[in-house]
Amino acid sequence: MDNLYSSTLEYLERAFMPHTSEYQRYIDFQTMRDMKQVTKEKRPVYFDLEIKELAEMNRRYILDGFWNGIFFTAVLPTSNTIKGTIEYYGKPPKMLIGRFEMGEEVKSFSPAFLKEEFKRKKVLGDTLRDFSEILFTYLNTYVNDMDVSIETTTFEDVENPIFEEWEFPFLEEHPDLQKEWASLKERTANQFKRLDELDIEDQYALETMMAKDVPDFIASFHRLSDENKESRKHELVETMYDLSRFIETLERKEEESYAQNFARSKGIIASKYNKEDENFLSRK
C-alpha cells in the first residue's frame, strides 16, 4: 500500500508539475521521500547506509559511502578549524548535485553548491540540508565508536613524505615524464609542510590529492594493457599538468603571503626607524 501511495504521488508530480520533477534525473522520487522520512525521524538514517571507504587524515576523516543508492563523500573534522562537508553525487553518481558545509559559528549545514533543479523547489534543498545534518551526526558517531583501526594517511615525516602509492613504474620508460613526476612530488611535499598555513579548502584538496586522487588514478592507469598505456599517455600528461597547475596555485599564494608579510614588516621598520634613516641618508 505504501508503494502504491508513493508511485501515485510520483505520477501526479510528473503529470501536473513537470518543471518541479526535473530533479528526478539525479535522485528519484522515492529516495527523496525516504530522505524526508529520515528528517522527520520516522526512519533511521543507518538504514540503506553503506560505508565504502574511510581514511584518516591529519585533522579529518574522509568517508565515501552510499545511502539508498546515492553516492556521497563526507569530511568529518577532528579539529575545530576544519569545516565539515557532505557532497552528493546523485543516483547514479555521475556529477556533483550538492555540497553542504557546516558553519563555523553556527553549527548547522548550509548549501555551498546546489544544482538548479533542486534550487527551484525549496523543499528539496531543505530536505537535503536537514538530511545532511542527521547523516553527518551519525557518521561522527560511527567514526568515534569504531573498534577497528583504519588506514591512516598522515605523512608524519614531512622531510620525506610517504609517496608509496605515487610510485609509477610506467614512467621508468619515459625519463622526461619521470623527471617531471619527481619534481611534482617534491613540490607537493613542500606545500604539505605548510599545510596549516593553507586555506581550509586548499588543505582538503591537497590532502585528498595526495592520499586518494593520485593513487586512484595510478591504479586505474596500471590496469590498462601495455598498448593502451602508450596510446593513452596523453591523458597522463594532461593529469600531470592539472596537478602541477594546482601546486602552482598554492605556490603563488605562498609568494603572495611572503610579499604581504615583507611589505608589512617594511612598513613597521620605516615608521619605527624613520628618523634614523633620515640621519643615515644625510650622512651619506
Side-chain angles (χ1 to χ4, degrees):
M1 189 67 184
D2 189 58
N3 288 338
L4 176 62
Y5 173 70
S6 177
S7 61
T8 301
L9 286 178
E10 182 176 4
Y11 170 77
L12 291 173
E13 181 176 1
R14 287 185 179 276
F16 298 103
M17 296 183 292
H19 62 287
T20 63
S21 62
E22 295 175 353
Y23 71 90
Q24 294 183 39
R25 290 182 295 171
Y26 311 104
I27 298 181
D28 59 78
F29 181 89
Q30 182 60 46
T31 302
M32 287 298 302
R33 188 168 180 265
D34 290 342
M35 277 188 169
K36 202 157 190 177
Q37 293 293 304
V38 170
T39 63
K40 292 181 178 180
E41 299 183 351
K42 295 181 178 180
R43 176 189 182 98
V45 72
Y46 53 78
F47 276 16
D48 300 316
L49 179 63
E50 181 182 359
I51 308 299
K52 299 297 291 183
E53 185 178 354
L54 177 61
E56 184 180 0
M57 314 298 279
N58 265 358
R59 292 183 295 170
R60 76 203 77 199
Y61 295 101
I62 298 179
L63 187 150
D64 289 343
F66 287 93
W67 186 85
N68 208 349
I70 300 172
F71 179 77
F72 68 88
T73 293
V75 177
L76 313 175
T78 58
S79 167
N80 291 332
T81 61
I82 308 269
K83 284 185 180 179
T85 64
I86 296 183
E87 294 180 345
Y88 297 100
Y89 289 86
K91 185 179 181 180
K94 292 183 178 180
M95 66 176 65
L96 178 67
I97 62 172
R99 174 185 173 90
F100 293 82
E101 294 183 349
M102 177 75 76
E104 294 181 1
E105 297 180 0
V106 181
K107 296 299 181 182
S108 62
F109 272 89
S110 59
F113 167 80
L114 197 59
K115 282 193 69 65
E116 190 63 32
E117 290 85 346
F118 293 85
K119 286 183 180 178
R120 290 175 190 158
K121 196 173 181 183
K122 185 176 183 296
V123 67
L124 297 178
D126 291 346
T127 298
L128 281 173
R129 180 201 62 208
D130 296 342
F131 176 81
S132 297
E133 293 189 0
I134 295 173
L135 177 61
F136 187 82
T137 300
Y138 175 80
L139 293 177
N140 264 314
T141 303
Y142 171 85
V143 170
N144 292 333
D145 292 346
M146 278 190 314
D147 293 326
V148 296
S149 61
I150 62 175
E151 181 181 357
T152 62
T153 309
T154 59
F155 299 91
E156 294 176 355
D157 183 3
V158 295
E159 294 300 323
N160 295 290
I162 302 171
F163 281 105
E164 292 179 358
E165 294 184 316
W166 278 48
E167 294 303 318
F168 219 148
F170 173 76
L171 299 181
E172 294 175 2
E173 301 175 9
H174 302 276
D176 53 336
L177 291 180
Q178 189 176 39
K179 184 176 179 181
E180 289 185 30
W181 189 252
S183 173
L184 179 60
K185 287 167 63 174
E186 182 179 356
R187 292 165 61 200
T188 301
N190 289 336
Q191 291 305 309
F192 184 79
K193 292 178 184 178
R194 51 185 294 271
L195 185 68
D196 291 340
E197 302 173 21
L198 304 181
D199 295 335
I200 298 300
E201 292 301 317
D202 289 337
Q203 289 181 1
Y204 171 59
L206 180 60
E207 287 186 332
T208 305
M209 166 191 164
M210 295 175 71
K212 189 174 188 299
D213 295 341
V214 172
D216 286 353
F217 174 79
I218 294 174
S220 297
F221 194 86
H222 279 168
R223 285 193 288 268
L224 298 173
S225 66
D226 291 341
E227 182 179 350
N228 282 338
K229 285 177 183 175
E230 288 295 337
S231 65
R232 301 181 68 169
K233 188 173 68 173
H234 67 282
E235 295 182 22
L236 167 60
V237 174
E238 291 172 357
T239 299
M240 290 174 61
Y241 175 75
D242 291 338
L243 296 175
S244 181
R245 286 290 299 275
F246 170 64
I247 296 300
E248 283 177 8
T249 300
L250 299 185
E251 291 170 340
R252 185 176 66 253
K253 290 182 179 180
E254 182 180 13
E255 286 299 321
E256 290 173 353
S257 176
Y258 289 160
Q260 291 172 359
N261 290 337
F262 173 77
R264 192 178 299 113
S265 299
K266 182 178 150 187
I268 292 172
I269 292 172
S271 62
K272 189 173 183 180
Y273 299 101
N274 186 46
K275 292 182 179 179
E276 286 82 350
D277 289 343
E278 290 178 353
N279 294 334
F280 174 76
L281 291 174
S282 63
R283 289 197 301 270
K284 293 187 69 175

Coordinates of all heavy atoms in Angstrom, one line a residue, residues 1-60:
M1 N 0.8 -1.2 0.0 CA 0.0 0.0 0.0 C 0.9 1.3 0.0 O 0.6 2.2 -0.7 CB -0.9 0.0 1.2 CG -2.0 1.1 1.2 SD -3.2 0.8 -0.1 CE -4.2 2.3 0.0
D2 N 1.9 1.2 0.8 CA 2.8 2.3 0.9 C 3.5 2.6 -0.5 O 3.6 3.8 -0.9 CB 3.9 2.1 1.9 CG 4.7 3.3 2.2 OD1 4.1 4.3 2.6 OD2 6.0 3.3 2.0
N3 N 3.9 1.6 -1.2 CA 4.5 1.7 -2.5 C 3.5 2.3 -3.5 O 3.8 3.1 -4.4 CB 5.0 0.4 -3.0 CG 6.2 -0.1 -2.3 OD1 6.9 0.8 -1.7 ND2 6.5 -1.4 -2.3
L4 N 2.2 1.9 -3.4 CA 1.2 2.4 -4.3 C 1.0 3.9 -4.0 O 0.9 4.7 -5.0 CB -0.1 1.6 -4.0 CG -1.4 2.1 -4.8 CD1 -1.1 2.0 -6.3 CD2 -2.6 1.4 -4.4
Y5 N 1.0 4.3 -2.8 CA 0.8 5.7 -2.4 C 2.0 6.5 -3.0 O 1.8 7.6 -3.5 CB 0.8 5.8 -0.9 CG 0.8 7.2 -0.4 CD1 -0.3 8.1 -0.5 CD2 1.9 7.7 0.3 CE1 -0.3 9.3 0.0 CE2 1.9 9.0 0.8 CZ 0.8 9.8 0.6 OH 0.9 11.1 1.1
S6 N 3.2 6.0 -2.8 CA 4.4 6.7 -3.3 C 4.4 6.8 -4.8 O 4.6 7.9 -5.4 CB 5.6 5.9 -2.9 OG 6.8 6.6 -3.4
S7 N 4.0 5.7 -5.5 CA 4.0 5.8 -7.0 C 2.9 6.7 -7.5 O 3.1 7.4 -8.5 CB 3.8 4.4 -7.6 OG 2.6 3.8 -7.2
T8 N 1.8 6.8 -6.8 CA 0.7 7.7 -7.2 C 1.2 9.1 -7.1 O 0.9 10.0 -8.0 CB -0.5 7.5 -6.3 OG1 -0.9 6.1 -6.4 CG2 -1.6 8.4 -6.7
L9 N 1.9 9.5 -5.9 CA 2.4 10.8 -5.8 C 3.4 11.2 -6.9 O 3.4 12.3 -7.4 CB 3.0 10.9 -4.4 CG 2.1 11.0 -3.2 CD1 2.9 11.1 -1.9 CD2 1.2 12.2 -3.3
E10 N 4.2 10.2 -7.2 CA 5.2 10.4 -8.2 C 4.6 10.7 -9.5 O 5.0 11.6 -10.3 CB 6.2 9.2 -8.3 CG 7.3 9.4 -9.3 CD 8.3 8.3 -9.4 OE1 8.0 7.3 -8.6 OE2 9.2 8.4 -10.1
Y11 N 3.5 9.9 -9.9 CA 2.8 10.1 -11.1 C 2.2 11.5 -11.2 O 2.3 12.2 -12.2 CB 1.7 9.1 -11.3 CG 0.8 9.3 -12.5 CD1 1.2 9.1 -13.8 CD2 -0.5 9.9 -12.2 CE1 0.3 9.4 -14.8 CE2 -1.3 10.1 -13.3 CZ -0.9 9.9 -14.6 OH -1.7 10.2 -15.6
L12 N 1.6 11.9 -10.1 CA 0.9 13.2 -10.0 C 1.9 14.4 -10.2 O 1.6 15.3 -10.9 CB 0.1 13.4 -8.7 CG -1.1 12.5 -8.5 CD1 -1.7 12.6 -7.1 CD2 -2.2 12.9 -9.6
E13 N 3.1 14.2 -9.6 CA 4.1 15.2 -9.7 C 4.6 15.3 -11.1 O 4.7 16.4 -11.6 CB 5.3 14.9 -8.7 CG 6.3 16.0 -8.8 CD 7.5 15.7 -7.8 OE1 7.4 14.7 -7.1 OE2 8.4 16.6 -7.7
R14 N 4.8 14.2 -11.7 CA 5.3 14.2 -13.1 C 4.2 14.8 -14.1 O 4.6 15.5 -15.0 CB 5.7 12.8 -13.6 CG 7.1 12.4 -12.9 CD 7.5 11.0 -13.5 NE 8.7 10.6 -13.0 CZ 9.9 10.9 -13.4 NH1 10.0 11.8 -14.4 NH2 11.0 10.4 -12.9
A15 N 3.0 14.4 -13.8 CA 1.9 14.8 -14.7 C 1.5 16.3 -14.6 O 1.3 17.0 -15.6 CB 0.7 13.9 -14.5
F16 N 1.5 16.8 -13.4 CA 0.9 18.1 -13.2 C 2.0 19.2 -12.8 O 1.7 20.4 -12.8 CB -0.2 18.1 -12.1 CG -1.3 17.2 -12.5 CD1 -1.5 16.0 -12.0 CD2 -2.3 17.7 -13.4 CE1 -2.6 15.2 -12.3 CE2 -3.3 16.9 -13.8 CZ -3.5 15.6 -13.3
M17 N 3.2 18.7 -12.4 CA 4.2 19.7 -12.0 C 5.6 19.2 -12.7 O 6.5 19.0 -11.9 CB 4.4 19.8 -10.5 CG 3.2 20.3 -9.8 SD 3.4 20.5 -8.0 CE 3.5 18.7 -7.5
P18 N 5.6 19.1 -14.0 CA 6.8 18.6 -14.6 C 8.0 19.4 -14.4 O 9.2 18.9 -14.3 CB 6.4 18.5 -16.1 CG 5.3 19.6 -16.3 CD 4.6 19.5 -15.0
H19 N 7.9 20.7 -14.2 CA 9.0 21.6 -14.0 C 9.7 21.4 -12.7 O 10.8 21.8 -12.4 CB 8.6 23.1 -14.1 CG 7.6 23.5 -13.1 ND1 6.3 23.1 -13.2 CD2 7.7 24.3 -12.0 CE1 5.6 23.6 -12.1 NE2 6.4 24.3 -11.4
T20 N 8.9 20.8 -11.7 CA 9.5 20.6 -10.4 C 10.0 19.1 -10.3 O 10.6 18.8 -9.2 CB 8.4 20.8 -9.3 OG1 7.4 19.9 -9.5 CG2 7.9 22.2 -9.4
S21 N 9.8 18.3 -11.3 CA 10.2 16.9 -11.2 C 11.5 16.7 -11.9 O 12.0 15.5 -12.0 CB 9.1 16.0 -11.7 OG 8.9 16.2 -13.0
E22 N 12.2 17.7 -12.4 CA 13.4 17.6 -13.2 C 14.5 17.0 -12.3 O 15.4 16.3 -12.8 CB 13.9 18.9 -13.7 CG 13.0 19.5 -14.7 CD 13.4 20.9 -15.1 OE1 14.3 21.5 -14.5 OE2 12.8 21.5 -16.1
Y23 N 14.4 17.2 -11.0 CA 15.4 16.7 -10.0 C 15.5 15.2 -10.1 O 16.5 14.6 -9.7 CB 15.1 17.1 -8.6 CG 13.9 16.4 -8.0 CD1 14.1 15.2 -7.3 CD2 12.7 17.0 -8.1 CE1 13.0 14.6 -6.7 CE2 11.6 16.3 -7.6 CZ 11.7 15.2 -6.9 OH 10.7 14.5 -6.3
Q24 N 14.5 14.5 -10.6 CA 14.4 13.0 -10.5 C 15.4 12.4 -11.5 O 15.6 11.2 -11.5 CB 13.0 12.5 -10.8 CG 12.1 12.9 -9.7 CD 10.6 12.4 -9.9 OE1 10.5 11.3 -10.3 NE2 9.6 13.2 -9.5
R25 N 16.1 13.2 -12.3 CA 17.2 12.7 -13.1 C 18.4 12.3 -12.3 O 19.2 11.6 -12.7 CB 17.6 13.7 -14.2 CG 16.6 14.0 -15.3 CD 17.2 15.0 -16.3 NE 17.3 16.3 -15.7 CZ 17.9 17.3 -16.3 NH1 18.5 17.2 -17.5 NH2 18.0 18.5 -15.6
Y26 N 18.4 12.9 -11.1 CA 19.6 12.7 -10.2 C 19.2 11.9 -8.9 O 20.0 11.1 -8.4 CB 20.2 14.0 -9.8 CG 20.4 15.0 -10.9 CD1 19.5 16.0 -11.2 CD2 21.5 14.7 -11.8 CE1 19.8 16.9 -12.3 CE2 21.7 15.6 -12.9 CZ 20.8 16.6 -13.1 OH 21.1 17.4 -14.2
I27 N 18.0 12.2 -8.3 CA 17.5 11.5 -7.2 C 16.1 11.2 -7.4 O 15.3 12.1 -7.7 CB 17.7 12.3 -5.9 CG1 19.1 12.6 -5.6 CG2 17.1 11.5 -4.7 CD1 19.4 13.4 -4.3
D28 N 15.7 9.9 -7.4 CA 14.3 9.6 -7.7 C 13.3 10.0 -6.6 O 13.8 10.3 -5.5 CB 14.2 8.1 -8.0 CG 14.6 7.2 -6.8 OD1 13.8 7.1 -5.9 OD2 15.8 6.7 -6.8
F29 N 12.1 10.0 -6.9 CA 11.1 10.5 -6.0 C 11.1 9.7 -4.7 O 11.0 10.3 -3.6 CB 9.7 10.4 -6.7 CG 8.5 10.8 -5.9 CD1 8.1 12.2 -5.9 CD2 7.8 10.0 -5.1 CE1 7.1 12.6 -5.1 CE2 6.8 10.4 -4.3 CZ 6.4 11.7 -4.3
Q30 N 11.1 8.4 -4.8 CA 11.1 7.5 -3.6 C 12.2 7.8 -2.7 O 12.1 7.9 -1.5 CB 11.1 6.0 -4.0 CG 10.9 5.1 -2.8 CD 9.7 5.3 -2.0 OE1 8.6 5.4 -2.6 NE2 9.8 5.4 -0.7
T31 N 13.4 8.0 -3.2 CA 14.6 8.3 -2.4 C 14.4 9.6 -1.7 O 14.8 9.8 -0.5 CB 15.9 8.3 -3.2 OG1 16.0 7.0 -3.9 CG2 17.1 8.5 -2.4
M32 N 13.9 10.6 -2.4 CA 13.7 11.9 -1.7 C 12.6 11.8 -0.6 O 12.7 12.4 0.4 CB 13.2 13.0 -2.8 CG 14.2 13.5 -3.7 SD 15.6 14.4 -2.9 CE 14.7 15.7 -2.0
R33 N 11.6 10.9 -0.9 CA 10.6 10.7 0.1 C 11.2 10.0 1.3 O 10.9 10.3 2.5 CB 9.5 9.8 -0.5 CG 8.3 9.6 0.4 CD 7.1 9.1 -0.3 NE 6.0 8.9 0.6 CZ 5.7 7.8 1.2 NH1 6.4 6.7 1.1 NH2 4.6 7.7 2.0
D34 N 12.1 9.0 1.1 CA 12.8 8.3 2.2 C 13.7 9.3 3.0 O 13.8 9.2 4.2 CB 13.7 7.2 1.7 CG 12.9 6.0 1.1 OD1 11.7 6.0 1.5 OD2 13.4 5.2 0.4
M35 N 14.3 10.3 2.3 CA 15.1 11.3 3.0 C 14.2 12.1 3.9 O 14.6 12.4 5.0 CB 15.8 12.2 1.9 CG 17.1 11.7 1.4 SD 17.8 13.0 0.4 CE 19.5 12.2 0.1
K36 N 13.1 12.5 3.4 CA 12.2 13.3 4.2 C 11.7 12.5 5.4 O 11.5 13.0 6.5 CB 10.9 13.7 3.4 CG 10.2 14.9 3.9 CD 9.4 15.6 2.8 CE 8.9 16.9 3.3 NZ 8.2 17.7 2.3
Q37 N 11.5 11.2 5.3 CA 11.2 10.3 6.4 C 12.3 10.4 7.5 O 12.0 10.4 8.7 CB 10.9 8.9 6.0 CG 9.7 8.7 5.1 CD 8.4 9.0 5.8 OE1 8.1 8.3 6.8 NE2 7.6 9.9 5.3
V38 N 13.5 10.4 7.0 CA 14.7 10.5 8.0 C 14.6 11.8 8.7 O 14.8 11.9 9.9 CB 16.0 10.3 7.2 CG1 17.2 10.6 8.1 CG2 16.1 8.9 6.7
T39 N 14.4 12.9 8.0 CA 14.4 14.2 8.6 C 13.3 14.4 9.6 O 13.4 15.2 10.6 CB 14.3 15.4 7.6 OG1 13.0 15.3 6.9 CG2 15.4 15.3 6.5
K40 N 12.2 13.6 9.4 CA 11.1 13.6 10.4 C 11.2 12.6 11.5 O 10.3 12.4 12.3 CB 9.7 13.4 9.6 CG 9.4 14.5 8.7 CD 8.0 14.2 8.0 CE 7.6 15.3 7.1 NZ 6.3 15.0 6.4
E41 N 12.4 11.9 11.5 CA 12.7 10.9 12.5 C 11.7 9.7 12.4 O 11.5 9.1 13.5 CB 12.7 11.5 13.9 CG 13.8 12.6 14.0 CD 13.9 13.2 15.4 OE1 13.0 12.8 16.2 OE2 14.8 13.9 15.7
K42 N 11.2 9.4 11.3 CA 10.3 8.3 11.1 C 11.1 7.1 10.5 O 10.5 6.0 10.3 CB 9.2 8.7 10.2 CG 8.2 9.7 10.8 CD 7.1 10.0 9.9 CE 6.1 11.0 10.5 NZ 4.9 11.3 9.6
R43 N 12.4 7.3 10.1 CA 13.2 6.3 9.5 C 14.6 6.5 9.9 O 15.2 7.6 9.7 CB 13.0 6.4 8.0 CG 13.9 5.4 7.2 CD 13.8 5.8 5.7 NE 14.6 4.9 4.9 CZ 14.1 3.9 4.2 NH1 12.8 3.7 4.3 NH2 14.8 3.1 3.5
P44 N 15.3 5.5 10.5 CA 16.7 5.7 10.9 C 17.6 5.9 9.7 O 17.5 5.3 8.6 CB 17.1 4.4 11.6 CG 15.7 3.7 11.9 CD 14.8 4.2 10.8
V45 N 18.6 6.8 9.8 CA 19.5 7.2 8.7 C 20.4 6.0 8.4 O 20.9 5.9 7.2 CB 20.3 8.4 9.0 CG1 21.3 8.1 10.1 CG2 20.9 9.0 7.8
Y46 N 20.6 5.1 9.4 CA 21.6 4.0 9.1 C 20.9 2.9 8.2 O 21.6 2.0 7.8 CB 22.1 3.4 10.4 CG 21.1 3.0 11.4 CD1 20.4 1.8 11.3 CD2 20.8 3.8 12.5 CE1 19.4 1.4 12.2 CE2 19.9 3.4 13.4 CZ 19.2 2.2 13.3 OH 18.2 1.9 14.2
F47 N 19.6 3.0 8.0 CA 19.0 2.0 7.0 C 19.6 2.4 5.6 O 19.6 3.5 5.2 CB 17.5 2.2 7.0 CG 16.8 1.4 8.1 CD1 17.5 0.9 9.2 CD2 15.4 1.2 8.0 CE1 16.8 0.2 10.2 CE2 14.7 0.5 9.0 CZ 15.5 0.0 10.1
D48 N 19.9 1.3 4.9 CA 20.4 1.5 3.5 C 21.7 2.3 3.4 O 22.1 2.8 2.4 CB 19.4 2.2 2.6 CG 18.1 1.4 2.5 OD1 18.2 0.2 2.3 OD2 17.0 2.0 2.6
L49 N 22.4 2.4 4.5 CA 23.7 3.1 4.6 C 24.9 2.1 4.4 O 24.9 1.1 5.1 CB 23.9 3.9 5.9 CG 25.2 4.6 6.0 CD1 25.4 5.7 5.0 CD2 25.3 5.2 7.4
E50 N 25.7 2.4 3.4 CA 26.9 1.5 3.1 C 28.1 2.4 3.1 O 28.3 3.2 2.3 CB 26.7 0.8 1.8 CG 27.8 -0.1 1.4 CD 27.5 -0.8 0.0 OE1 26.5 -0.4 -0.6 OE2 28.4 -1.5 -0.4
I51 N 29.0 2.1 4.0 CA 30.3 2.8 4.1 C 31.3 2.1 3.1 O 31.6 0.9 3.3 CB 30.9 2.8 5.5 CG1 29.9 3.3 6.5 CG2 32.2 3.6 5.6 CD1 29.4 4.7 6.2
K52 N 31.8 2.8 2.2 CA 32.7 2.1 1.2 C 34.2 2.3 1.5 O 35.0 1.4 1.3 CB 32.4 2.7 -0.2 CG 31.0 2.5 -0.7 CD 30.7 1.1 -0.9 CE 31.5 0.5 -2.1 NZ 31.2 -1.0 -2.3
E53 N 34.5 3.5 2.0 CA 36.0 3.8 2.3 C 36.1 4.8 3.3 O 35.3 5.8 3.4 CB 36.7 4.2 1.0 CG 38.2 4.4 1.2 CD 38.8 4.8 -0.1 OE1 38.2 4.8 -1.2 OE2 40.0 5.1 -0.1
L54 N 37.0 4.6 4.2 CA 37.3 5.6 5.3 C 38.8 5.8 5.5 O 39.5 4.8 5.7 CB 36.6 5.1 6.6 CG 36.9 6.0 7.9 CD1 36.2 7.3 7.6 CD2 36.2 5.3 9.1
A55 N 39.2 7.0 5.4 CA 40.6 7.3 5.5 C 40.8 8.4 6.6 O 40.1 9.4 6.6 CB 41.2 7.8 4.2
E56 N 41.8 8.2 7.4 CA 42.1 9.2 8.5 C 43.2 10.1 8.0 O 44.3 9.6 7.6 CB 42.5 8.5 9.8 CG 42.8 9.5 10.9 CD 43.2 8.8 12.2 OE1 43.3 7.6 12.2 OE2 43.4 9.5 13.2
M57 N 43.0 11.4 8.0 CA 44.0 12.4 7.6 C 44.6 13.0 8.8 O 44.4 12.6 9.9 CB 43.4 13.4 6.6 CG 42.5 12.8 5.6 SD 43.3 11.7 4.4 CE 44.0 12.9 3.3
N58 N 45.3 14.1 8.6 CA 45.9 14.8 9.7 C 44.9 15.3 10.7 O 45.0 15.1 11.9 CB 46.7 16.0 9.2 CG 48.2 15.7 9.1 OD1 48.6 14.6 9.4 ND2 49.0 16.6 8.6
R59 N 43.9 16.0 10.2 CA 42.9 16.6 11.1 C 41.4 16.4 10.7 O 40.5 17.1 11.0 CB 43.1 18.1 11.2 CG 44.4 18.5 11.9 CD 44.6 19.9 12.1 NE 44.7 20.6 10.8 CZ 44.7 21.9 10.6 NH1 44.5 22.7 11.6 NH2 44.8 22.4 9.4
R60 N 41.3 15.3 9.9 CA 39.9 15.0 9.5 C 39.8 13.5 9.0 O 40.8 12.9 8.7 CB 39.5 15.9 8.3 CG 40.2 15.5 7.0 CD 40.2 16.7 6.1 NE 41.3 17.6 6.5 CZ 41.4 18.8 6.1 NH1 40.5 19.4 5.3 NH2 42.4 19.6 6.5

